[in-house]
């Protein structure tokens, strides 16, 4: 697999964009349908995630085709992110036409019957219970922190799915959302694997290029006002054996300030590496656990264009002071900014390890197709991920220090999740509570 060759990009007459990266000798083909609508611009909390579940096996007419995929040893998967929804199918190389027919059905003949939508709502709600509400501190960083830190609906609402909101979303409302979101102009089809480019493009034109165009979303970037005062919240958690606190800060948009965004990515890795060197305690004296940091609510800092956050969370006994832990974090950031905490060697290792991880990510045919779609649709460059290692190397230690200084002093948001005391029948404080 060569990283130097540019993928071919073709826009079909109905507005759908096809990205082709032939990889001879792989014997498989990965087909990624990238829809430029995620949970950030959904009308109801969880609508994009629900629609993904409704469409994950194509339309009702393509069910035999999805069975054929599995029968050949192929795989199918889907995911919903902030700015997109993706459906990925991996097939033996000879199965390209079958995969494209599934995508045609997904884009033109969805099963939005009341029975199917109701069944998928139950699946989504069960997934939320399993992955979020029944886990200790579930959703603390993914949902609760954005709700407190941000002001706009796009950046703060629960995109996984809200039971009350989804109960009011009927098939007609989901159909309206589908018609706007899955219009050809809002879709990228990424192909990576063992295929002939001319034949693959001809199949794509015959299969998907004949779909009628229709209106789609006109994207606007939502600007958040500067945070002028700290925001704090405490919630209770029935499943938690100990407390957990997260501190969050608004961080630079990757689109408008890519250098600041990448400096924050490096800083997040650095905080995890040197978190015990705050200068106020020895590591053995910390009454809280290790700092865990991330940039972006979903944990992937490279697939978003705006609305990011820098979050640091940590476990602690109920008796430990969250304010003292936040003060410790800010003192650590100040030490990085002022040079009291030596970080040059650690940052060199972090840059090298991150580059190796990103190169390994692109070793997979499936990932290559996925990142072609993300790069083209979210960042305007199909090879965006391959360019990140060089961009990280261009971020200096001084750049990281400057951003550490900003986070050390700027207002942020802090949420503590604490166990329910014995005999306490109080319910957890819901997302959306007063700031």
């Amino acid at each position: 697999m060569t990283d130097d060759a540019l993928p071919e990009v073709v826009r079909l007459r109905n507005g759908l964009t096809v990205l082709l990266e032939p990889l001879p000798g792989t014997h498989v083909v990965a087909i990624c349908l990238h829809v430029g609508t995620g949970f950030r611009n959904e009308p109801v909390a969880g609508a994009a995630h629900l629609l993904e579940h409704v469409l994950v096996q194509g339309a009702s007419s393509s069910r035999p085709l999805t069975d054929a995929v599995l029968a050949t040893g192929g795989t199918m998967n889907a995911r919903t992110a902030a700015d997109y929804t993706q459906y990925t199918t991996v097939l033996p190389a000879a199965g390209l036409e079958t995969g494209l027919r599934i995508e045609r059905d997904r884009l033109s003949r969805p099963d939005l019957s009341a029975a199917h939508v109701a069944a998928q709502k139950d699946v989504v709600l069960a997934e939320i219970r399993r992955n979020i509400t029944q886990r200790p501190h579930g959703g603390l960083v993914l949902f609760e922190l954005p709700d407190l830190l941000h002001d706009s609906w796009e950046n703060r609402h629960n995109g996984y799915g809200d039971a009350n909101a989804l109960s009011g979303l009927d098939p007609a409302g989901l159909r309206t959302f589908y018609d706007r979101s899955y219009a050809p102009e809002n879709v990228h089809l990424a192909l990576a694997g063992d295929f002939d480019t001319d034949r693959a493009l001809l199949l794509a034109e015959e299969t998907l290029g004949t779909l009628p165009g229709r209106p789609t979303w006109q994207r606007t970037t939502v600007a958040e006002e500067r945070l002028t005062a700290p925001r704090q919240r405490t919630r209770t958690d029935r499943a938690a054996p100990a407390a957990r606190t997260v501190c969050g800060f608004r961080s630079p948009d990757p689109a408008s300030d890519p250098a600041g965004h990448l400096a924050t990515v490096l800083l997040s890795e650095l905080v995890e590496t040197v978190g015990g060197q705050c200068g106020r305690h020895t590591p053995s004296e910390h009454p809280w656990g290790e700092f865990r940091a991330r940039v972006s609510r979903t944990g992937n800092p490279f697939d978003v264009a705006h609305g990011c956050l820098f979050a640091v969370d940590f476990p602690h006994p109920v008796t430990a002071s969250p304010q003292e832990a936040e003060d410790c974090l800010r003192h650590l950031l100040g030490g990085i900014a002022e040079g009291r905490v030596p970080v040059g060697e650690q940052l060199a290792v972090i840059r090298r390890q991150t580059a190796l991880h990103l190169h390994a990510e692109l070793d997979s045919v499936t990932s290559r197709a996925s990142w072609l779609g993300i790069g083209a649709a979210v960042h305007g460059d199909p090879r965006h991920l391959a360019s990140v290692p060089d961009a990280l190397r261009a971020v200096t230690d001084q750049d990281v220090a400057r951003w550490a200084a900003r986070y050390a002093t700027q207002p942020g948001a802090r949420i503590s999740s604490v166990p329910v005391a014995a005999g306490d029948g109080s319910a957890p404080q819901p997302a959306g509570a007063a700031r």
Side-chain angles (χ1 to χ4, degrees):
M1 300 182 186
T2 62
D3 287 337
D4 295 332
L6 293 175
E8 186 168 348
V9 181
V10 179
R11 185 177 174 88
L12 304 184
R13 55 185 176 274
N14 58 5
L16 189 148
T17 300
V18 180
L19 306 145
L20 305 105
E21 185 174 22
L23 302 167
T26 55
H27 305 293
V28 297
V29 59
I31 303 169
C32 178
L33 190 79
H34 180 104
V35 179
T37 298
F39 62 74
R40 197 194 303 276
N41 52 351
E42 62 192 1
V44 173
H49 185 201
L50 173 60
L51 192 53
E52 172 217 313
H53 276 261
V54 169
L55 300 175
V56 71
Q57 290 187 322
S60 56
S61 62
S62 67
R63 295 296 164 82
L65 294 179
T66 61
D67 292 343
V69 169
L70 300 178
T72 62
T75 62
M76 304 178 70
N77 203 357
R79 60 173 171 162
T80 303
D83 297 308
Y84 63 88
T85 305
Q86 283 192 343
Y87 304 87
T88 306
T89 304
V90 181
L91 286 157
L96 174 60
E97 186 172 358
T98 296
L100 292 178
R101 288 165 59 195
I102 291 173
E103 300 312 333
R104 177 183 173 84
D105 276 2
R106 205 188 314 272
L107 292 175
S108 62
R109 304 169 70 180
D111 181 0
L112 295 175
S113 64
H116 186 48
V117 171
Q120 294 309 312
K121 281 184 183 180
D122 290 341
V123 172
V124 169
L125 294 177
E127 181 181 323
I128 293 169
R129 288 192 296 270
R130 182 178 65 252
N131 294 338
I132 302 297
T133 59
Q134 294 175 353
R135 289 190 176 185
H137 314 299
L140 186 64
V141 180
L142 188 59
F143 308 137
E144 297 270 357
L145 179 61
D147 176 68
L148 185 62
L149 180 63
H150 294 301
D151 295 317
S152 68
W153 157 264
E154 290 81 357
N155 293 332
R156 65 182 288 248
H157 81 276
N158 173 357
Y160 206 164
D162 178 86
N164 293 329
L166 287 177
S167 66
L169 182 61
D170 60 15
L174 199 61
R175 177 78 205 205
T176 299
F177 180 52
Y178 167 85
D179 285 343
R180 294 292 297 276
S181 300
Y182 285 68
E185 192 175 348
N186 197 40
V187 172
H188 287 67
L189 177 78
L191 305 178
D194 200 350
F195 55 80
D196 175 78
T197 300
D198 292 338
R199 178 177 180 273
L201 181 57
L202 178 62
L203 286 173
E205 290 175 333
E206 292 176 344
T207 309
L208 302 175
T210 56
L211 294 172
R214 57 180 185 265
T216 188
W217 306 104
Q218 297 301 313
R219 296 285 182 266
T220 57
T221 300
V222 177
E224 300 268 357
E225 297 293 331
R226 182 181 296 275
L227 199 63
T228 58
R231 297 174 176 178
Q232 297 176 2
R233 180 189 297 167
T234 299
R235 76 171 198 182
T236 56
D237 192 316
R238 298 183 188 280
R244 193 169 198 98
T245 291
V246 58
C247 299
F249 309 90
R250 294 181 185 174
S251 62
D253 281 357
S256 60
D257 187 359
H261 172 68
L262 292 179
T264 303
V265 171
L266 292 174
L267 180 62
S268 70
E269 297 289 338
L270 187 61
V271 165
E272 292 191 351
T273 303
V274 302
Q277 302 178 37
C278 69
R280 303 183 69 186
H281 310 83
T282 65
S284 62
E285 293 175 331
H286 282 167
W288 44 84
E290 293 182 351
F291 289 147
R292 186 177 63 182
R294 68 169 70 183
V295 178
S296 96
R297 64 192 293 183
T298 60
N300 189 334
F302 304 121
D303 73 345
V304 290
H306 56 89
C308 281
L309 56 82
F310 170 39
V312 181
D313 65 291
F314 45 89
H316 58 87
V318 175
T319 54
S321 165
Q323 182 61 57
E324 185 179 356
E326 180 181 341
D327 292 343
C328 177
L329 171 62
R330 290 182 180 274
H331 197 261
L332 170 66
L333 293 169
I336 294 171
E338 297 165 8
R340 288 184 282 106
V341 179
V343 298
E345 183 176 342
Q346 290 90 340
L347 280 173
V349 172
I350 289 169
R351 289 187 187 91
R352 188 163 56 249
Q353 289 179 338
T354 303
L356 289 172
H357 169 75
L358 295 178
H359 288 308
E361 176 80 3
L362 292 174
D363 279 344
S364 161
V365 172
T366 309
S367 292
R368 288 177 86 95
S370 173
W371 282 105
L372 281 176
I374 294 169
V378 177
H379 299 289
D381 177 7
R383 298 187 70 254
H384 171 75
L385 193 70
S387 71
V388 171
D390 285 343
L392 284 171
R393 283 189 284 270
V395 177
T396 67
D397 294 0
Q398 292 72 29
D399 294 329
V400 176
R402 281 193 291 272
W403 278 99
R406 296 190 189 188
Y407 294 123
T409 57
Q410 75 178 40
R414 189 183 76 219
I415 303 177
S416 294
S417 177
V418 299
V420 176
D424 185 351
S426 62
Q429 182 172 350
R435 288 167 166 75

